[in-house]
Amino acid sequence: MKLLALDSSGLVASVAVAEDDNLIGEYTINYKKTHSQTLLPMLDTVAKMIDLDLDTIDAIAIAKGPGSFTGLRIGSATAKGLGLALDKPIVEIPTVDGLAYNLWGSGDLVCPLMDARRNQTYTGIYEFQNGEMQVLEPQCAVDISVIVEKINDLRRPVVFLGDGVPVFRVYIEEHVQVPYTFAPAHLNKQRAGAVAALAFRYMEKEQVVSAREHQPDYLRLSQAERERKEKEARLPGDAGV
């Protein structure tokens, strides 16, 4: 079973090709260029380096959200276009789950933190038991105080990772009441290799969709949509509605 995996849900752009338990190639970059400039050239580079014929892949795995609205649209459009052109199914991986899968086998709780702005984070809580990832708190968009309270209630050591760590580090240091650590640089951001590894588990359970069915999962309204709703709510005549 061979998978092409893509993740452009956050600051990182990442492309990987995996076959069974073998990661054949991975290209991950965390720099200033936008994903629209990097994702397809990265895919082309990986394909050339490993002599990949895209017709030989069995499915396309994509981090489907939440995350950056622009990044999700670019990744989903790329996966959808490839899936339609190649007639391949899509494996939709929740972004926060894929990020947590970087720390497969951790003995501590795993809490990914993605910066969702306005003091909110895309997050969840996970643990690994008997070689499987268990979801204790499904991915959600909440204030940082909410997820920290849940972690404190669990009374277990936790490891944090994700681009939200530097944003919320001071809050963590001041409010987390259990032992905690931060994942090291090679494991603390999105990686398409982790998306691919988790996608194999999904495929074992036949959890796939057609390319035509695939849609990103934004989890909350975009800033423009929120501002429009707030503006509409302030219009005369809306009181009491």
Side-chain angles (χ1 to χ4, degrees):
M1 186 71 68
K2 185 183 292 184
L3 289 178
L4 168 66
L6 308 170
D7 193 331
S8 60
S9 59
L11 299 176
V12 170
S14 188
V15 175
V17 177
E19 187 169 10
D20 300 325
D21 290 326
N22 186 27
L23 183 60
I24 303 172
E26 184 178 37
Y27 189 165
T28 299
I29 191 163
N30 179 21
Y31 198 59
K32 299 175 183 179
K33 291 184 178 179
T34 65
H35 298 329
S36 61
Q37 295 174 289
T38 57
L39 199 61
L40 284 175
M42 289 167 62
L43 172 57
D44 184 58
T45 298
V46 170
K48 288 178 178 176
M49 291 291 289
I50 63 174
D51 297 321
L52 175 67
D53 179 353
L54 287 173
D55 285 322
T56 65
I57 64 172
D58 296 287
I60 301 163
I62 179 71
K64 74 165 186 172
S68 157
F69 284 76
T70 300
L72 290 177
R73 283 193 288 267
I74 292 169
S76 286
T78 302
K80 196 178 188 78
L82 288 170
L84 290 170
L86 300 170
D87 192 25
K88 305 294 182 181
I90 304 292
V91 188
E92 299 177 324
I93 301 299
T95 298
V96 181
D97 293 26
L99 186 52
Y101 214 69
N102 278 350
L103 300 184
W104 186 94
S106 171
D108 295 340
L109 297 177
V110 175
C111 181
L113 297 172
M114 296 175 63
D115 182 17
R117 308 297 173 87
R118 296 190 173 191
N119 213 45
Q120 286 202 326
T121 176
Y122 298 124
T123 186
I125 303 175
Y126 305 81
E127 68 175 350
F128 293 89
Q129 290 187 349
N130 302 318
E132 295 290 336
M133 185 170 75
Q134 307 296 325
V135 181
L136 303 184
E137 187 69 32
Q139 66 173 22
C140 53
V142 297
D143 190 273
I144 184 61
S145 63
V146 173
I147 199 66
V148 166
E149 182 178 354
K150 290 180 182 294
I151 287 170
N152 288 337
D153 288 344
L154 289 170
R155 299 181 180 277
R156 292 173 53 189
V158 61
V159 55
F160 294 100
L161 72 159
D163 61 36
V165 167
V167 178
F168 301 114
R169 185 165 187 145
V170 172
Y171 188 91
I172 290 170
E173 293 171 345
E174 293 177 349
H175 294 88
V176 172
Q177 300 168 1
V178 299
Y180 64 86
T181 54
F182 300 109
H186 66 298
L187 296 173
N188 68 8
K189 299 291 192 304
Q190 285 92 335
R191 287 184 57 185
V195 171
L198 185 52
F200 281 123
R201 308 289 80 80
Y202 273 55
M203 292 195 71
E204 289 171 356
K205 302 172 184 177
E206 298 183 353
Q207 293 177 309
V208 301
V209 300
S210 70
R212 196 170 300 279
E213 294 173 308
H214 168 65
Q215 295 292 335
D217 181 9
Y218 298 114
L219 205 60
R220 69 175 192 176
L221 297 175
S222 68
Q223 181 176 344
E225 290 171 317
R226 292 196 304 271
E227 291 175 351
R228 178 176 60 80
K229 285 185 174 292
E230 290 169 0
K231 183 177 180 180
E232 291 173 348
R234 292 193 298 267
L235 291 176
D238 283 348
V241 176

